[in-house]
Amino acid sequence: MEASFDITLQMVITVFAGISAQVMAAYFKLPSIVLLLLLGILLGADGVGLLHPHMLGTGLEVIVSLATAIILFEGGLKLDLRELGRVSVSLQLLVTLGTLITLLGGSMAAHWLGEFPWNIAFLYASIVVVTGPTVIGPLLKQINVDRQVATLLEGEGVLIDPVGAILAYVVLDTILNGDADPINAIIGLLMRLGVGGSIGAVGGYLMSWIFKRANFISFELKNLVVLAVLWGLFTLAQTIRSESGIMTTVVAGVVFANSSVPEERLLRSFKNQLTILSVSVLFILLAADLSIASVLALGWGSLLTVLVLMFVVRPINILLCTWNSDLNWRQKLFLSWVAPRGIVSASVASLFAISLTQRGINGGDAIKALVFLTIIMTVFCQGLTAGWIVKWLRITSKDATGALIVGCNPLSLLIARFFQERGESVVMIDTDSQYFTQAEAQNLRVIASSALDAEVLEEAGIASMGTFLAVTNNGEVNFVLAQRAAEEFSPPRVLAVFPRDPQASNSTNSKVDQAFASDLPIKTWNEYLNDGRVKLGTTTLNEEEFASQQEHIQEKIQTGLLVPLLVEREERLQVMSANQDWEIGDRIIYLLYDSRPNLLKRLSGASQSTPLSLETLAEVEEVPAAKLSQLSASEASTN
């Protein structure tokens, strides 16, 4: 009875400490793994001595296995195949060539600098080839890096986990059995990947079928059914081929997530909560089981091993795996810096240390200490500096490109063409098909559905878009759509055309900016575009006339003769907001009321003429802002 109570007390302390670390990390805006490691070590035998994971016995291995299955399944759920398509080649290279580079580079560093024998050096390198979603996911949420880099890091973290873990088990099996034949090792690796992938694919389809067809089961129960099936698949794979279950969980998550399952977002929320709990428990337990003395006993050679892994092996890895990609040097530099190791490395190292010790092979405790030294150094150095480096390199999600536009009308078509001609992705959503033909003629993607449906927004790729713009003819609807998008998906820029006070004072505290100008009569301006009663103008704000330029433009905005559409700043195009702070050097693109027919009738989609291009736009000369004041009063009265 006393032993049972002691184990219960250990688990209660672990859960309480883990959740407390998560709360503190959220409050101080730090990577959660940093506090989990610190708190775990503090509560362990080398700290205050409250936690003793060895008391759990074989139960620790069970907890690690089942929790890791949840973590990797949740990581698989986050992998969007459409997003991965943009970085597929680089991702494939990172998981294959990158694994080989890290394996060879890490083993050479551990052997020559850390003075480990070759077998232990290879085992260490095989363990640290993984990065892991448990560290990458929370880190990316905090630093808001641009979507292309985030997708690559997330994909690498999820997909390399099973490959790395299985590789590590193959290396361990080779060491324990004394079979150094590389052919057998490769066959063992491929068998585990094949068995795990096949079971995961079938299991993922089965879970998606249950969600779609088993309507007699409540949604809450469906979540638990998925959890039970997941653990069943994991155990089945492990039974057929040891260590293939890790691959099973990842593939099951990917298949399920890309099967268009209804209410999938709610399942993700449930699994995300389980993942947070699993990560918290595992990191606390494994950190508490770490001997600080064994880490300090490693010496300077091991410290140099980790530094080489971080500053030599990783940059070479990224350089070779992304050499033919469209990533710029800033993105590649950030990828070279960020590769923190996570829970898979920690759990595998802990289990390997036990296996080596039981077989009488020296190096088990040392390899565990070296892996944890790698985790600590990468997490603290990279995790704590990643946010600063993202801002320094200017690759935050606020710099994300592309636009998701709700409302397909002449004004939105004009804005969409500007983004499209910049090479940025544009998706339009509307239920009214009046202007679909014009949009399709301009090669714009249009989804005929309601933007109130979160799944439609996900299908449109809102996660990778820099701008969400609601510009239908109904201002109140625009505001509601934009507010929901901001709350559920948090795009970098959320704008909408809505009345000055759509819902009392809520608008002032919302994340939605008023697009273009206050109280813009969107329906009227769409009619002007159809009738050709407007012309397009651009003005660049210069230092000498900055004040007068602003005054002239604001005057025309207030009289309703001018609508500022876009601002080009530092070679980036953004939709203008009503409260935009203008800066010297900004290039303002606007519509100006003009009763004379002009080029805009063709450009806005009123006729199916030559599609809009930047060369066509260039036919409209840039107008100095001061000349706007020369607009006749008669034109104003006409408006």
Side-chain angles (χ1 to χ4, degrees):
M1 186 70 180
E2 184 178 349
S4 175
F5 176 77
D6 289 340
I7 294 176
T8 302
L9 183 60
Q10 292 288 300
M11 291 306 302
V12 170
I13 293 174
T14 300
V15 173
F16 185 83
I19 300 304
S20 298
Q22 294 282 0
V23 172
M24 289 188 290
Y27 181 79
F28 293 109
K29 296 182 178 180
L30 294 171
S32 57
I33 187 176
V34 172
L35 294 181
L36 288 169
L37 283 172
L38 289 176
L39 199 54
I41 294 172
L42 177 64
L43 295 175
D46 287 350
V48 297
L50 284 178
L51 279 181
H52 302 282
H54 65 272
M55 293 178 61
L56 300 176
T58 57
L60 178 61
E61 185 176 349
V62 175
I63 293 172
V64 170
S65 298
L66 296 181
T68 302
I70 293 175
I71 292 167
L72 294 180
F73 177 75
E74 198 260 344
L77 288 176
K78 292 180 179 178
L79 290 185
D80 189 329
L81 296 182
R82 293 184 295 271
E83 286 293 326
L84 291 178
R86 301 176 60 188
V87 292
S88 58
V89 176
S90 297
L91 183 58
Q92 291 168 13
L93 289 173
L94 280 172
V95 176
T96 53
L97 177 61
T99 299
L100 180 61
I101 292 171
T102 305
L103 178 64
L104 295 177
S107 58
M108 287 188 289
H111 177 70
W112 289 329
L113 298 175
E115 299 181 352
F116 284 86
W118 276 114
N119 58 349
I120 300 299
F122 268 104
L123 187 58
Y124 160 74
S126 67
I127 295 174
V128 297
V129 298
V130 302
T131 52
T134 58
V135 188
I136 292 294
L139 183 62
L140 293 177
K141 289 180 181 179
Q142 291 183 334
I143 61 178
N144 295 319
V145 70
D146 77 57
R147 188 59 195 169
Q148 192 172 10
V149 173
T151 299
L152 192 56
L153 285 173
E154 287 175 342
E156 179 193 20
V158 172
L159 295 180
I160 209 171
D161 263 2
V163 174
I166 292 173
L167 174 64
Y169 276 100
V170 170
V171 174
L172 176 67
D173 188 57
T174 301
I175 293 173
L176 295 179
N177 298 324
D179 184 2
D181 187 353
I183 300 299
N184 291 336
I186 293 174
I187 292 175
L189 175 64
L190 294 178
M191 282 290 293
R192 288 173 169 86
L193 291 175
V195 170
S198 301
I199 295 175
V202 174
Y205 176 80
L206 174 63
M207 287 187 283
S208 66
W209 184 89
I210 292 173
F211 248 71
K212 292 177 181 178
R213 304 293 177 85
N215 296 325
F216 64 94
I217 304 177
S218 67
F219 176 76
E220 292 77 10
L221 187 55
K222 284 182 181 179
N223 283 339
L224 297 177
V225 169
V226 168
L227 178 62
V229 172
L230 172 66
W231 279 342
L233 294 172
F234 176 81
T235 305
L236 175 63
Q238 291 286 88
T239 303
I240 295 176
R241 190 75 181 188
S242 63
E243 312 316 324
S244 62
I246 297 177
M247 189 66 180
T248 297
T249 59
V250 172
V251 173
V254 174
V255 171
F256 185 90
N258 290 274
S259 299
S260 300
V261 176
E263 299 178 318
E264 179 199 334
R265 288 189 311 109
L266 298 178
L267 174 69
R268 289 189 185 185
S269 177
F270 172 67
K271 287 295 183 287
N272 187 50
Q273 293 173 1
L274 289 180
T275 297
I276 292 174
L277 177 62
S278 300
V279 169
S280 303
V281 169
L282 290 186
F283 266 116
I284 291 292
L285 286 175
L286 297 179
D289 197 39
L290 178 65
S291 170
I292 300 299
S294 63
V295 176
L296 297 177
L298 291 174
W300 289 103
S302 295
L303 180 64
L304 291 175
T305 298
V306 179
L307 291 176
V308 167
L309 190 71
M310 294 171 60
F311 295 107
V312 178
V313 177
R314 177 66 176 182
I316 292 175
N317 188 348
I318 295 299
L319 183 64
L320 294 179
C321 294
T322 63
W323 69 275
N324 199 29
S325 70
D326 58 354
L327 297 171
N328 58 45
W329 69 269
R330 293 185 178 89
Q331 294 170 316
K332 292 180 181 180
L333 183 59
F334 182 76
L335 289 170
S336 299
W337 175 242
V338 176
R341 273 57 181 182
I343 195 64
V344 174
S345 293
S347 58
V348 169
S350 300
L351 297 177
F352 281 12
I354 297 173
S355 298
L356 290 172
T357 301
Q358 289 175 346
R359 296 292 291 268
I361 299 176
N362 294 328
D365 290 337
I367 200 172
K368 177 182 176 182
L370 183 56
V371 169
F372 268 90
L373 177 64
T374 305
I375 294 172
I376 292 170
M377 289 183 63
T378 55
V379 165
F380 277 75
C381 294
Q382 299 169 356
L384 295 178
T385 61
W388 175 81
I389 291 177
V390 161
K391 293 178 181 178
W392 176 60
L393 294 174
R394 292 175 56 197
I395 55 172
T396 63
S397 60
K398 293 181 179 179
D399 299 318
T401 60
L404 175 57
I405 303 175
V406 181
C408 186
N409 50 55
L411 182 59
S412 62
L413 286 171
L414 178 60
I415 293 170
R417 288 298 297 173
F418 270 101
F419 280 100
Q420 187 183 55
E421 292 296 335
R422 289 293 185 101
E424 300 184 24
S425 59
V426 182
V427 180
M428 309 185 77
I429 301 176
D430 204 339
T431 54
D432 189 349
S433 61
Q434 181 178 359
Y435 292 99
F436 283 9
T437 303
Q438 287 90 336
E440 292 170 357
Q442 297 175 9
N443 295 320
L444 292 167
R445 182 188 173 196
V446 183
I447 298 177
S449 188
S450 171
L452 286 170
D453 189 341
E455 292 185 5
V456 172
L457 297 181
E458 288 184 332
E459 178 189 350
I462 189 173
S464 62
M465 295 295 186
T467 300
F468 177 92
L469 173 64
V471 64
T472 72
N473 287 333
N474 190 318
E476 284 76 12
V477 170
N478 289 338
F479 182 79
V480 171
L481 290 172
Q483 197 171 43
R484 289 192 60 181
E487 291 172 354
E488 294 192 35
F489 299 99
S490 300
R493 293 175 294 278
V494 181
L495 303 99
V497 174
F498 58 84
R500 184 184 301 274
D501 192 14
Q503 293 182 359
S505 60
N506 289 350
S507 58
T508 58
N509 297 323
S510 74
K511 299 179 181 179
V512 180
D513 289 325
Q514 201 165 24
F516 312 129
S518 299
D519 298 321
L520 177 70
I522 179 68
K523 189 173 182 179
T524 300
W525 279 91
N526 276 321
E527 292 174 357
Y528 289 165
L529 280 163
N530 269 332
D531 298 339
R533 284 184 283 167
V534 291
K535 63 181 179 182
L536 192 67
T538 65
T539 293
T540 301
L541 304 181
N542 57 66
E543 187 174 0
E544 293 77 14
E545 302 176 293
F546 185 69
S548 61
Q549 287 176 317
Q550 285 196 92
E551 181 181 351
H552 292 316
I553 295 176
Q554 290 294 344
E555 177 186 346
K556 300 311 167 192
I557 293 174
Q558 292 172 7
T559 58
L561 296 171
L562 183 148
V563 178
L565 298 180
L566 303 157
V567 56
E568 185 180 19
R569 177 179 298 169
E570 298 178 352
E571 300 182 355
R572 290 185 179 274
L573 196 66
Q574 295 183 9
V575 176
M576 183 75 72
S577 66
N579 59 351
Q580 184 88 37
D581 292 326
W582 294 354
E583 299 177 3
I584 295 172
D586 284 352
R587 180 171 175 257
I588 312 299
I589 302 172
Y590 57 82
L591 287 178
L592 185 65
Y593 176 79
D594 184 358
S595 59
R596 297 166 297 178
N598 61 77
L599 188 64
L600 251 290
K601 184 174 182 179
R602 174 165 58 88
L603 302 184
S604 63
S607 66
Q608 299 181 33
S609 303
T610 306
L612 178 63
S613 67
L614 289 182
E615 289 76 13
T616 307
L617 292 175
E619 296 176 22
V620 183
E621 295 183 0
E622 181 162 324
V623 180
K627 290 187 178 181
L628 291 175
S629 61
Q630 300 173 6
L631 187 66
S632 66
S634 61
E635 285 182 309
S637 62
T638 302
N639 186 43

